[in-house]
Structures are given as C-alpha cells and as structure tokens.
Amino acid sequence: MGIDIKNVKEAEAMRVVGLMAAETLLAVGNALRPGMTTDEINTLVHEDTIRRGARPAPLNYRGFPKSVCTSINDVVCHGIPGAEVIQNGDIINVDVTSIYQGFYGDTSATFYIGTPSPEARHVTEVARRALELGIAEVREGAFLGDIGAAIQQFVESKGCSVVRDFVGHGIGRRFHEEPQVKHYGKRGSGERLRAGMTFTIEPMVNLGSYAVTIDPTDKWTVRTVDGSLSAQFEHTLLVTKKGHEVLTSRPAALNNSETAAALYLMA
C-alpha cells in the first residue's frame, strides 16, 4: 500500500488521540518508583487509556499479551510487562499507543528509576537528543533519509549506536503503515516528505553495538546482543506546509525523565 496522506479532519483526529497517548505517558512518569512491577505499569496504562475512552493498541496486536511495552536496561523494545520489579538505577522505556475513533497515537520515553549510572544517563540523553534532531528535519520537500542521517551522525558522534532492525513507521487508521522511517541513512535518500504524512520517529540507541536479538521464548522481547544499555524516545509527527507538528506533544514535563534530565543539567 502507498503512503496515506491525511486530510484536515483526519489530522485533527490524530491530534486528539496523540494527546491522549501523551497524557497517559505523563501519568506513567508521575507513578514510577523503585519496587514497582512492570505489570503495575501495564495496569496503570490500561486503566488510564480506557478511562479516556480509548483502547490500548498493543493488547492482542499480533498476539502481544499486554497493553503497553516496558523495556528495561538492555531491552531495546517490546518488553512484556510481568512480575519484574524495577530497581533503583534502572532505565525503562514505556511505549504507549492508544486507539480512539479509529486512529492511532504512538509515543514512548525512557525513564530513570532512582539514581542512574553515568552510562545510563549518557545513553538516555543521547537518545532524547537524537529524537529532537530527527524531528527538526521534518518539513515538506525534505527526504526520509535526512531524518536518519541526522540521528545517526549525532548518535555515533557520542560513541553510541543506532539500532537497524527496528524503525519508525507511518501511522493513522492502522498501527503500522508506510513509510518506514529509518534512524540511519544518507541525506537526500528515500521518499520525499509531503504535507499530510503522519509517521513516528523512535530512535533506539545502544551504548554498545547496534546488534540485537529477539527472545526465543516469548518471541517479542528485543535485547542488545552485547548486554549494553539501550534507550528510546518516540513521537508521532504530522508533516505540514510550514514544517511539522508533534501530535504526541506533552502539555507538561515528563517526571522521572525530562525533570530528571533538567536536574542533571543544573548539577
């Protein structure tokens, strides 16, 4: 299928669901604490999503058994919530996707649990900045490759690596649409961006090698091959005539993530 260009009404519907997903992620940030299980995070996300009149997209998607992905330390993405307890010093990515009136909003962030190590802070803040730099490339007439090139250049300049096996994606009436949005590549390559395109940018940044492996038992959990830490941030974007709009922009700072980063910068 080709790339779906959203009209004004569809863009507004995605704006609504994007805010819902963003506010659920804010609720996660407010609740996170050492000693919490990832199943408790799942319950929070599920109940908050339903309370807003939306549905959690991950639940039963291609057999995924939970309402959110929780990826701790060396887990790159698609971690399945369960009895695991988050500990002081952990970093955890929480990936929220909501469905409302037939449209999807997808966003994630990496959070600090307690006091992180310098290495955890480094990979997390590199990933945060990588997303910002990728978003800055989004405008009508630019190329998809411009996004990946900006991210890759920055991440590698900081001694980290960009995961190749998982990429951003078009989103709208379907969870995953065209185009694929690679977080590496060359400027001037790939599809030209057009107003009305909607897609995610979600760089997965590893402290070590970009090589990953999928858990052979659960068939979902993705880990770094070398056991190094991994961090990720994600937003859903709309390409506009004037540039872009972040559809999952948050109305407040994200506790245990943005607030913690600000404290480190002041220290």
Side-chain angles (χ1 to χ4, degrees):
M1 300 181 72
I3 296 173
D4 184 29
I5 301 298
K6 310 304 187 295
N7 60 33
V8 172
K9 185 177 180 181
E10 291 169 329
E12 176 57 25
M14 292 199 64
R15 197 170 288 119
V16 170
V17 71
L19 179 59
M20 286 181 169
E23 289 182 333
T24 296
L25 195 63
L26 281 172
V28 171
N30 292 338
L32 287 176
R33 65 188 187 280
M36 195 175 189
T37 68
T38 51
D39 232 352
E40 288 179 283
I41 299 171
N42 182 76
T43 298
L44 185 159
V45 169
H46 184 90
E47 292 179 350
D48 191 83
T49 303
I50 297 299
R51 181 178 63 80
R52 296 175 191 280
R55 292 186 293 116
L59 185 60
N60 300 320
Y61 178 75
R62 297 181 178 176
F64 192 81
K66 296 288 184 172
S67 295
V68 68
C69 297
T70 52
S71 304
I72 302 174
N73 295 334
D74 66 327
V75 177
V76 176
C77 59
H78 303 162
I80 300 173
E84 186 172 6
V85 175
I86 53 177
Q87 308 281 351
N88 180 53
D90 285 345
I91 55 174
I92 180 171
N93 177 271
V94 180
D95 192 343
V96 172
T97 309
S98 301
I99 314 169
Y100 181 70
Q101 294 187 344
F103 287 88
Y104 290 74
D106 192 2
T107 187
S108 85
T110 296
F111 297 89
Y112 296 115
I113 305 303
T115 305
S117 67
E119 294 78 12
R121 282 169 52 184
H122 180 69
V123 71
T124 301
E125 296 311 316
V126 168
R128 191 192 313 276
R129 182 60 179 154
L131 174 58
E132 294 170 351
L133 292 171
I135 289 172
E137 297 291 333
V138 178
R139 64 185 68 87
E140 187 168 59
F143 292 88
L144 278 173
D146 299 346
I147 299 169
I151 291 170
Q152 182 181 10
Q153 181 180 14
F154 172 73
V155 169
E156 293 180 353
S157 77
K158 297 299 182 181
C160 297
S161 64
V162 181
V163 170
R164 307 300 206 260
D165 292 14
F166 296 89
V167 298
H169 53 89
I171 188 170
R173 291 187 184 275
R174 296 182 301 280
F175 199 163
H176 297 91
E177 302 179 345
E178 292 296 326
Q180 288 195 343
V181 183
K182 296 177 180 178
H183 305 116
Y184 61 95
K186 295 181 179 179
R187 288 192 174 274
S189 67
E191 187 85 20
R192 272 195 183 274
L193 303 185
R194 292 174 284 159
M197 290 174 66
T198 50
F199 51 79
T200 69
I201 303 176
E202 48 184 297
M204 285 148 270
V205 175
N206 295 351
L207 196 59
S209 166
Y210 62 73
V212 300
T213 183
I214 299 175
D215 189 291
T217 302
D218 68 35
K219 304 291 195 294
W220 279 105
T221 305
V222 179
R223 291 185 174 86
T224 57
V225 167
D226 60 10
S228 64
L229 294 171
S230 185
Q232 178 190 17
F233 291 86
E234 174 184 18
H235 273 307
T236 298
L237 280 293
L238 167 69
V239 182
T240 68
K241 291 289 185 181
K242 295 182 179 180
H244 63 263
E245 180 181 348
V246 180
L247 297 175
T248 47
S249 179
R250 294 179 290 271
L254 197 58
N255 279 337
N256 292 301
S257 185
E258 290 169 335
T259 55
L263 287 173
Y264 298 141
L265 288 172
M266 290 189 295

